Amino acid sequence: MTFNVPDVADVTGSVKSALLAINEAKDLAGLKIVKTEHLGDKSALSKASQALGKLAAENRAELGKVVGSAKAEVTAAFEAKLKELEIIRDLKVLSEERVDVSLPASKLPKGGLHPLTILTNEISDLFIGLGYRVAEGPELEAEWLNFDALNIPADHPARTMQDTFFIEPLESKLVLRTHTSPVQIRTMLENKPPIYVICPGRTYRADELDATHTPVFSQVEGLVIDRGITMADLKGTLDYFAQSIFGPNVKTRLRPSFFPFTEPSAEVDFFFNGRWIEWGGCGMVNPKVLEVCGIDTSEFSGFAFGMGLERTLMVRHGITDMHDIVEGDVRFTRSFGISGR
Ligand code: DAH
């Protein structure tokens, strides 16, 4: 609507339609559109104001009053509606975004250490208490360190394809370590005696996963090199170890055995819940191994031992299926507590 010559009836009509539109606005967005339409520069009322200039002076004053009060009326109605819609919007936001502070928080379950980790920490702590260090080595190991340096000759059954995961290309001479014993060699090559270390870690053999085997398992190795070390020291250490892990009255026994890297060698058993249970291997470090590592055998001797951690855990906790240890089901892990370290 254009007011070439504004007239009172037109202005009254504009006010009416503006008030109606304001009244019908449902929300702030709608009201904003109404404002542009009825109070904006291009609205009928603004155009009426602009057209006033074209009128003769005597008509201008009277019509000016009419247009002025029309604008004031529409503006007042707009302001009132704006306040009303703002209050409605605020109430809506308050009710929709209300936070019930009395609701219980959604809790994430606390994680827990795997029982093997707990056992490893426990063993590390008890040997650190005896003055040992914890030594580590890589799981991807040089064949030489895993076998040759430990006096395991090339035709030894442990080196056949059945047991060992060889890494391609075969010329790389790398294997997934089949035991933690290569860490003994690394430790002796890097440190001068006296040496007191344990080496916990993951080991690999080409076995099928079943109730008592897993291709990825864990061992802990012990190595002591010092002056005047004898088998009595080995036996005393194993007794202390077994009693710390299985209980104060647990006995150990040694049975003659063979390992290429120890001479003499023994199997260590412990007496638990009324029966003897095989635990691991041990012996006096073979002088050939000491020599490979540049240790003077006229001055130093040492003992070593190695046992499986899964087996230790299974016996101690009456776990009958290896799957429980490797599968990582939280229902199993949780039964060992969430404290750990
Ligand atoms: N390395 C042996 C194995 O994996 C275990 C072992 C036996 C470790 C005798 C030793 C040892 O340190 O003295 O079967």
Side-chain angles (χ1 to χ4, degrees):
M1 209 188 314
T2 330
F3 294 99
N4 287 329
V5 182
D7 111 354
V8 177
D10 286 337
V11 174
T12 314
S14 299
V15 170
K16 244 187 167 172
S17 66
L19 293 180
L20 194 70
I22 288 170
N23 197 38
E24 281 177 356
K26 298 234 157 24
D27 51 27
L28 290 167
L31 187 65
K32 200 173 168 193
I33 296 167
V34 170
K35 188 188 181 190
T36 317
E37 235 166 69
H38 295 275
L39 286 170
D41 289 347
K42 291 180 180 150
S43 67
L45 282 177
S46 296
K47 284 190 173 151
S49 294
Q50 291 152 21
L52 284 173
K54 292 180 191 154
L55 288 179
E58 63 266 31
N59 298 334
R60 198 184 295 155
E62 199 192 332
L63 205 63
K65 262 192 203 159
V66 173
V67 173
S69 70
K71 271 194 142 176
E73 190 183 352
V74 173
T75 305
F78 167 80
E79 296 292 346
K81 187 71 178 181
L82 181 67
K83 267 201 192 110
E84 184 189 318
L85 289 177
E86 278 175 351
I87 289 170
I88 291 172
R89 187 236 8 230
D90 290 350
L91 287 174
K92 206 169 147 214
V93 167
L94 277 180
S95 80
E96 278 175 4
E97 296 178 10
R98 198 179 64 193
V99 175
D100 183 350
V101 291
S102 69
L103 277 178
S106 59
K107 282 186 198 150
L108 277 180
K110 224 179 185 182
L113 293 178
H114 191 278
L116 275 176
T117 310
I118 297 174
L119 179 64
T120 303
N121 290 344
E122 200 180 313
I123 294 172
S124 302
D125 276 354
L126 83 92
F127 276 100
I128 286 169
L130 293 178
Y132 285 54
R133 271 192 325 108
V134 176
E136 282 179 321
E139 292 170 26
L140 190 58
E141 185 56 286
E143 213 178 321
W144 186 81
L145 291 164
N146 193 81
F147 294 125
D148 301 70
L150 286 160
N151 191 37
I152 304 175
D155 56 359
H156 192 277
R159 284 176 85 149
T160 66
M161 285 304 221
Q162 275 179 10
D163 290 319
T164 308
F165 288 110
F166 290 89
I167 301 300
E168 287 192 321
L170 289 183
E171 307 81 71
S172 72
K173 299 275 180 217
L174 289 173
V175 296
L176 285 175
R177 69 180 177 193
T178 59
H179 50 181
T180 43
S181 302
V183 188
Q184 287 189 25
I185 305 295
R186 288 177 172 274
T187 306
M188 288 188 278
L189 288 174
E190 286 165 19
N191 300 276
K192 285 195 160 38
I195 290 170
Y196 289 79
V197 291
I198 57 151
C199 330
R202 205 174 280 152
T203 48
Y204 301 82
R205 280 184 210 178
D207 266 328
E208 291 294 326
L209 175 63
D210 63 22
T212 50
H213 297 88
T214 160
V216 183
F217 57 107
S218 320
Q219 291 188 333
V220 62
E221 190 84 15
L223 174 72
V224 167
I225 310 285
D226 207 342
R227 293 178 184 87
I229 295 294
T230 70
M231 231 148 155
D233 300 305
L234 170 61
K235 180 70 163 69
T237 306
L238 290 172
D239 279 342
Y240 180 78
F241 184 13
Q243 284 162 9
S244 306
I245 294 297
F246 298 107
N249 300 318
V250 167
K251 288 194 199 73
T252 67
R253 75 174 178 196
L254 300 183
R255 281 179 294 113
S257 185
F258 172 78
F259 296 100
F261 35 91
T262 41
E263 184 57 40
S265 303
E267 304 270 350
V268 52
D269 302 339
F270 61 98
F271 196 73
F272 188 69
N273 288 344
R275 64 196 175 106
W276 286 104
I277 296 167
E278 262 185 57
W279 196 17
C282 62
M284 299 305 291
V285 179
N286 193 326
K288 282 189 192 168
V289 173
L290 295 177
E291 276 159 20
V292 167
C293 298
I295 292 175
D296 182 353
T297 52
S298 68
E299 191 178 358
F300 293 102
S301 57
F303 67 71
F305 57 83
M307 40 279 289
L309 292 181
E310 282 79 2
R311 184 170 174 72
T312 303
L313 199 66
M314 286 173 94
V315 172
R316 187 168 79 168
H317 297 277
I319 301 163
T320 49
D321 191 348
M322 183 68 82
H323 291 88
D324 286 335
I325 296 182
V326 303
E327 276 170 0
D329 188 326
V330 71
R331 287 169 298 182
F332 169 75
T333 310
R334 201 185 283 137
S335 66
F336 290 84
I338 51 161
S339 54
R341 251 196 337 183

